[in-house]
Amino acid sequence: MTRQKFVAGNWKMNGSLQANAALLQAICRALATDPPVCRVAVAVPAPYLAQARQLLEGSVVELGAQDVSRHEQGAYTGEVSAAMLGDFAVRHCLVGHSERRQYHGETDAVVAAKAQRLLAHGITPIVCVGETLAEREAAQTQAVVARQLGAVLDQVGADAERIIVAYEPVWAIGTGRTASPQEAQQVHAGVRAQLAAVSALAAQVPVLYGGSMNAGNAAELLAQPDIDGGLIGGAALKAPDFLKIISAARIQ
Ligand code: 13P
């Protein structure tokens, strides 16, 4: 079975009403005349969900969010619940991005709880996993990734087949230093095996690569057998670059 590729942009804390409109209009216009063969999504900052939802109406581009509260509702100032994301027709939400783990102290348990909360609201968690440079140098890559993914799989049980995984080596994020296609493939194969141990359907969930993926290196990464797409940071903020990555997913 060939898995459909999936290209998602993670805008992180970037954008403005004006910039978002220009970016999404350019992407939607291009994809309307030249429809993608892959799925395309953007994960926008929470305040712009309403705007993005409106701009994406009638487009193939799917709406995503970047984070969610692990709590259902209540006295959690500043948090955004899965139900609120659902109100804006959000289809996917990142959990466990390394910037959340690193700067906001999110543990594997917190990430797993967030994934479960999203699933309960019919939103697909894009579970981010990845090792730091120190962990890679200590030959801990597979162990770290397996631990991070394992925490989520243990929590969600049979719903594992409803998640998306993104392997993002921390040392490759925003650094211009990409994992080589072979390095990435090796980790992706490990992720695939871990998913396959849950069920045959879980083995088919998309496993995306993220970390300095750009218009120049996307095709080679996407050609790897276990790389099902990309989670794009910086290059997702420029319509021509993002569109080139989407095109690269076409020629596999
Ligand atoms: P860059 O593409 O900017 O390296 O960011 C990757 C990322 O963190 C996507 O979630």
Side-chain angles (χ1 to χ4, degrees):
M1 171 154 78
T2 44
R3 293 177 296 272
Q4 190 184 19
K5 295 267 194 277
F6 189 109
V7 174
N10 172 12
W11 289 3
K12 308 192 179 186
M13 199 173 71
N14 293 293
S16 66
L17 286 174
Q18 205 182 355
N20 303 344
L23 178 58
L24 289 181
Q25 279 160 0
I27 292 168
C28 291
R29 208 174 314 125
L31 296 181
T33 40
D34 189 12
V37 296
C38 63
R39 288 173 68 189
V40 178
V42 286
V44 310
Y48 297 128
L49 286 171
Q51 182 204 18
R53 180 191 188 185
Q54 211 164 29
L55 287 164
L56 295 180
E57 216 174 284
S59 153
V60 294
V61 180
E62 301 170 16
L63 181 60
Q66 297 176 13
D67 187 32
V68 66
S69 173
R70 66 183 185 276
H71 304 290
E72 185 59 29
Q73 62 165 51
Y76 300 101
T77 302
E79 294 273 84
V80 173
S81 74
M84 293 170 189
L85 298 182
D87 269 349
F88 289 92
V90 164
R91 305 240 337 241
H92 324 276
C93 180
L94 307 181
V95 292
H97 191 281
S98 64
E99 288 149 16
R100 303 282 328 161
R101 293 181 192 261
Q102 221 174 331
Y103 308 140
H104 302 273
E106 289 193 10
T107 61
D108 291 342
V110 167
V111 174
K114 289 184 173 194
Q116 191 171 47
R117 189 68 66 188
L118 288 167
L119 287 164
H121 287 270
I123 297 169
T124 302
I126 300 180
V127 179
C128 303
V129 296
E131 82 288 2
T132 63
L133 186 58
E135 288 163 340
R136 172 160 285 262
E137 285 171 349
Q140 290 298 304
T141 300
Q142 294 286 6
V144 168
V145 168
R147 190 203 73 223
Q148 292 173 334
L149 180 58
V152 172
L153 296 181
D154 287 350
Q155 178 94 38
V156 306
D159 278 340
E161 64 199 47
R162 294 170 53 212
I163 71 170
I164 291 175
V165 179
Y167 167 57
E168 300 205 302
V170 178
W171 48 270
I173 294 176
T175 59
R177 192 180 156 193
T178 324
S180 72
Q182 295 71 27
E183 281 171 327
Q185 166 57 28
Q186 195 178 22
V187 179
H188 280 237
V191 167
R192 183 84 57 213
Q194 194 174 356
L195 291 163
V198 176
S199 72
L201 276 178
Q204 296 302 322
V205 310
V207 184
L208 318 182
Y209 169 81
S212 297
M213 195 190 261
N214 58 42
N217 60 27
E220 216 189 340
L221 285 158
L222 294 172
Q224 299 302 311
D226 288 299
I227 299 184
D228 302 324
L231 184 55
I232 322 298
L237 298 172
K238 296 179 215 117
D241 292 35
F242 193 52
L243 289 165
K244 278 190 202 129
I245 297 171
I246 292 166
S247 300
R250 174 195 307 275
I251 51 174
Q252 304 308 316

